[in-house]
Amino acid sequence: MDKPDAVKVEFAEECHAIILAGGSGTRLWPLSRNLLPKQLLVLGGELTLLQQTVARVLEAFEPSRIWVVTNEEHVFEVRKQITAMDPGLESQVLAEPLGRNTLPAIMLGLDRVAGDNLNALAAVFPSDHLIGGSEAWTGDLERASRLAADGHFVTFGVEPRHPETGYGYITLGEDLGEGASAVDGFVEKPDLKTAEGFVKGGRHLWNSGMFLFRIKDFLTQVAKCQPELWEWWMARDEVPLVQAYREIPNISVDYGVVEKIDNIAVVRAGFRWDDLGSWEAMYRLGEKDSNGNVIQGDVLALDCRNSLLISEGGKLAAVGVEDMIMVQTRDATLACPMPRVQMVRDVVETLRAQGSQLVESHPTVHRPWGNYTVLEEGPHYKIKRIQVVPGARLSSQMHHHRSEHWVVVDGTAEVEVDNEPRILVENQSVDIPKASQHRLANPGKVLLNIIEIQSGPYLEEDDIVRFDDEYGRVGKTS
């Protein structure tokens, strides 16, 4: 995509961007799941939150200076989404083998840029925030870069518009000029009374979660504040960072570094900002009808007031509800009073403790070759629709506990079972016996749709042995 003139900013040649695209987005369940978190969803407009972030960062940074850190489960979807914004980003995705919070993720990104110039700057951006006013955003980055070049660790604060209990706050200290202040402290998600006092007092800003710093200064603070992580970092030539990822602490950059150092500055944001971190935020930012409702999808609302009503799976009929959140997908429905929206996280934790798949994935799961949708399942059987994009090929694999039957709905399937290849077209089928090595590909120029019927005593996705895979997943279960 063509980038506007805003790319010609003063700091562009001396700064790298790290976009954090991990996280599970539990507060937007049931739309957001572990395998498709909120940053990968379109939640208004035409672009996902990640794509909106990338588009904004491309206004100030060349693709070669942008790194996106995500979980290895999301690598292929992240790469697809950001490459659609700029093909030069295809090789700029870094994968965490598992989530270890924001500090290790930032250090994973710094591993790619620190060798060039430790005096260079790095900016860190979450991928799930809504930001408006690109000219103000770029100008604030320039101001922050000057502070960082002088040795400050810089964050960005947003003037609070209302007493919000779901955000962190920054306490303002000495005025540093140019709309910047020293930071006297941080307050994490205060209660309502405290938040009301912050809004009235004028000495607190919302913490946007964006940072800018000189790489050398940041690493010095990691060595001082987090010696275990520093050891991990210093040993990276002998043991790659991702290889030792499971042994390092799960720790945020705020708690691990930012809250422990003194030379922190905050730039008062001139841009519009919102952390789309709850259904209440979705309601607040959404377009409302004459009754104050935000309605998306196939919804019938009768005598409803001031409610968020979303359906992505069948008709949602709501009668007489007020100040409610109702979100329906094909496999789950959330009904929650607006004042108790923070309890959505408790719902997710309860489901996780019960071992529910509703936390992990939607009925449709995206894969690098296409997607599959679970149509129906029960004891000893599961029925899926599998879609394979033109030219794509699944791994060569086998299953210990299940057999499969494939029926081609439309398109052309290239099938290999125990080294015997064949071509199947519409309405033709093939049996895949248990423990048979098999592979599926789409050699055609149109989407391939097949129906897969699984049968056996165990039908979970981890019953898979890969022998060969174009996407580097041999030995992995997804």
Side-chain angles (χ1 to χ4, degrees):
M1 86 168 15
D2 293 331
K3 295 185 284 295
D5 290 342
V7 73
K8 298 180 177 65
V9 290
E10 293 179 7
F11 66 89
E13 296 301 318
E14 301 295 332
C15 192
H16 302 267
I18 298 172
I19 299 174
L20 303 179
S24 57
T26 56
R27 290 179 293 171
L28 289 183
W29 184 90
L31 282 192
S32 179
R33 312 280 177 100
N34 282 349
L35 291 184
L36 196 67
K38 66 176 179 177
Q39 62 268 22
L40 303 181
L41 299 174
V42 177
L43 297 172
E46 299 179 354
L47 300 177
T48 67
L49 293 176
L50 171 63
Q51 288 176 317
Q52 291 179 46
T53 303
V54 168
R56 183 168 58 251
V57 173
L58 281 168
E59 293 179 3
F61 297 85
E62 293 297 327
S64 61
R65 289 181 172 270
I66 300 172
W67 295 93
V68 182
V69 183
T70 188
N71 190 287
E72 66 177 19
E73 286 280 6
H74 307 139
V75 164
F76 299 105
E77 182 65 19
V78 165
R79 185 174 290 128
K80 181 175 74 173
Q81 289 193 13
I82 69 173
T83 302
M85 307 305 296
D86 192 308
L89 293 171
E90 183 176 9
S91 60
Q92 303 299 102
V93 181
L94 305 176
E96 297 179 281
L98 73 165
R100 277 293 182 259
N101 219 314
T102 52
L103 181 51
I106 291 169
M107 295 180 72
L108 194 63
L110 290 179
D111 183 41
R112 294 301 178 95
V113 301
D116 294 340
N117 178 11
L118 287 177
N119 286 311
L121 306 179
V124 176
F125 306 111
S127 61
D128 55 359
H129 293 175
L130 289 177
I131 290 177
S134 61
E135 187 174 336
W137 181 79
T138 305
D140 288 345
L141 287 181
E142 288 185 326
R143 287 191 289 153
S145 70
R146 291 192 287 273
L147 287 164
D150 286 337
H152 288 89
F153 187 98
V154 187
T155 186
F156 298 82
V158 179
E159 194 75 42
R161 298 183 295 274
H162 56 271
E164 173 61 58
T165 60
Y167 296 166
Y169 287 73
I170 298 168
T171 305
L172 298 177
E174 177 189 357
D175 188 348
L176 299 177
E178 288 194 281
S181 301
V183 172
D184 268 1
F186 295 87
V187 181
E188 181 65 20
K189 297 180 181 177
D191 58 34
L192 181 58
K193 184 177 180 180
T194 302
E196 288 173 342
F198 286 170
V199 174
K200 292 177 182 176
R203 288 193 61 242
H204 291 83
L205 302 175
W206 286 338
N207 187 352
S208 72
M210 298 186 294
F211 304 104
L212 201 152
F213 49 80
R214 188 162 52 190
I215 296 172
K216 177 176 65 177
D217 297 337
F218 181 80
L219 292 175
T220 298
Q221 293 300 331
V222 171
K224 177 182 176 182
C225 302
Q226 299 298 327
E228 188 175 348
L229 281 178
W230 181 247
E231 244 180 76
W232 165 69
W233 168 267
M234 291 300 290
R236 67 192 186 282
D237 289 337
E238 291 76 37
V239 182
L241 293 180
V242 293
Q243 188 173 318
Y245 224 70
R246 293 184 184 277
E247 283 70 50
I248 61 174
N250 182 325
I251 192 166
S252 71
V253 66
D254 302 81
Y255 181 76
V257 174
V258 179
E259 296 175 8
K260 300 181 186 300
I261 59 181
D262 298 324
N263 58 331
I264 310 176
V266 56
V267 169
R268 189 182 295 263
F271 50 83
R272 300 185 303 278
W273 175 92
D274 219 296
D275 175 7
L276 200 59
S278 72
W279 288 120
E280 184 277 331
M282 281 284 290
Y283 172 75
R284 177 164 35 83
L285 297 169
E287 184 177 344
K288 298 171 180 63
D289 65 14
S290 58
N291 292 316
N293 300 310
V294 174
I295 295 176
Q296 297 178 14
D298 191 5
V299 175
L300 173 62
L302 300 178
D303 194 27
C304 297
R305 301 280 188 278
N306 305 322
S307 295
L308 176 67
L309 306 172
I310 297 176
S311 177
E312 291 197 350
K315 175 72 77 175
L316 172 61
V319 179
V321 301
E322 188 169 350
D323 296 323
M324 284 289 293
I325 295 163
M326 300 184 73
V327 182
Q328 177 174 278
T329 63
R330 214 194 82 185
D331 59 343
T333 301
L334 169 71
C336 175
M338 196 78 70
R340 305 189 71 178
V341 66
Q342 297 298 336
M343 288 194 69
V344 174
R345 179 174 288 177
D346 298 330
V347 171
V348 173
E349 291 306 317
T350 301
L351 289 171
R352 182 176 286 118
Q354 295 172 351
S356 174
Q357 282 298 114
L358 293 173
V359 176
E360 293 301 316
S361 64
H362 290 274
T364 297
V365 176
H366 295 273
R367 290 289 182 245
W369 42 261
N371 66 75
Y372 69 80
T373 300
V374 178
L375 303 176
E376 186 178 335
E377 60 184 316
H380 305 296
Y381 80 93
K382 184 182 290 185
I383 302 173
K384 289 181 178 179
R385 182 191 69 219
I386 296 177
Q387 296 186 318
V388 185
V389 298
R393 186 165 67 152
L394 281 67
S395 60
S396 177
Q397 58 186 252
M398 60 87 73
H399 312 289
H400 290 292
H401 302 290
R402 72 175 185 250
S403 58
E404 298 173 344
H405 180 75
W406 295 346
V407 181
V408 177
V409 177
D410 52 53
T412 301
E414 182 180 341
V415 178
E416 186 178 299
V417 181
D418 288 331
N419 297 316
E420 292 186 12
R422 67 189 79 179
I423 295 292
L424 301 180
V425 294
E426 182 179 329
N427 206 35
Q428 292 185 325
S429 62
V430 63
D431 288 312
I432 314 293
K434 186 188 304 181
S436 294
Q437 187 172 341
H438 58 280
R439 192 165 207 164
L440 172 66
N442 179 359
K445 295 184 178 180
V446 299
L447 190 68
L448 167 64
N449 281 279
I450 74 170
I451 298 298
E452 175 183 272
I453 303 172
Q454 302 177 359
S455 58
Y458 185 80
L459 304 174
E460 299 305 320
E461 291 303 310
D462 57 356
D463 178 23
I464 182 171
V465 178
R466 287 192 175 90
F467 301 99
D468 178 59
D469 182 60
E470 296 180 358
Y471 310 104
R473 298 172 301 162
V474 173
K476 299 177 182 177
T477 60
S478 60

